[in-house]
Amino acid sequence: MYALQAAIYALQAAIYALQAAIYPLQAAIYALQAAMYALQAAIYALQAAMYALQAAIYPLQAVIYALQAAIYALQAAIYALQAAICSLQAAICALQAAMYALQAAIYALQAAIYALQAAIYALQAAIYALQAAMYALQAAMYALQAAIYALQAAIYALQAAIYALQAASALTTGSIVRS
């Protein structure tokens, strides 16, 4: 059971590690978008400056160019704001990637702990099996000793019977000789 849990946690750790790898890529994309919007903001700012210069040069078109310069300046401000938002999103993605990497490390550590516990239980099982074999060997040894003692008792009983027969034979022989 612990080995299965260890495998599950290892798989979850791999999933989180993949998610952690995706977020840095998204952060890089947002960073590129932020750079692109910043470049567009600079371009529109230059265009605004150019139209402002043209407004100064051409008095008849000054109003039109001034309005266009204001529009481009507003667009530049919008793109600068979008660049800031993308930068913030890139920072959030980097933070999420770090969080998932930390979770992956935690699950990997839990998987290692469960694997270690499984190894400990397997070692305990081997120890108990070895103890059981030792107790079985002791039981067999005690049974063998009991059989030896029983055999010795039978031998002693047989010797006692022989001595009793010898004693009875001696008494019988002695009474015959007297008579």
Side-chain angles (χ1 to χ4, degrees):
M1 183 181 69
Y2 284 109
L4 181 59
Q5 285 181 339
I8 291 170
Y9 279 115
L11 184 60
Q12 286 180 336
I15 291 170
Y16 280 113
L18 287 175
Q19 287 180 338
I22 290 171
Y23 280 105
L25 291 176
Q26 287 183 338
I29 290 170
Y30 282 118
L32 288 175
Q33 285 181 340
M36 181 185 70
Y37 283 122
L39 183 61
Q40 285 181 339
I43 291 170
Y44 281 113
L46 288 175
Q47 285 181 337
M50 181 186 70
Y51 281 113
L53 183 61
Q54 286 179 346
I57 295 172
Y58 299 104
L60 294 176
Q61 295 179 342
V63 175
I64 295 172
Y65 285 122
L67 289 175
Q68 286 180 337
I71 291 170
Y72 283 119
L74 183 61
Q75 286 180 336
I78 291 171
Y79 281 117
L81 183 61
Q82 286 179 336
I85 292 171
C86 288
S87 297
L88 182 61
Q89 287 177 334
I92 291 171
C93 288
L95 185 61
Q96 285 179 335
M99 182 186 68
Y100 282 117
L102 182 60
Q103 285 181 340
I106 290 170
Y107 282 117
L109 183 60
Q110 285 179 336
I113 290 170
Y114 282 118
L116 184 61
Q117 285 180 339
I120 289 170
Y121 286 126
L123 184 60
Q124 285 180 340
I127 290 170
Y128 288 138
L130 187 60
Q131 286 179 339
M134 183 184 68
Y135 288 136
L137 184 61
Q138 284 181 342
M141 183 181 68
Y142 289 138
L144 184 60
Q145 285 180 341
I148 290 170
Y149 289 139
L151 184 60
Q152 285 178 342
I155 291 170
Y156 290 139
L158 186 59
Q159 285 178 342
I162 291 170
Y163 291 140
L165 286 176
Q166 287 177 345
S169 174
L171 289 175
T172 305
T173 304
S175 65
I176 291 173
V177 169
R178 283 188 202 134
S179 60

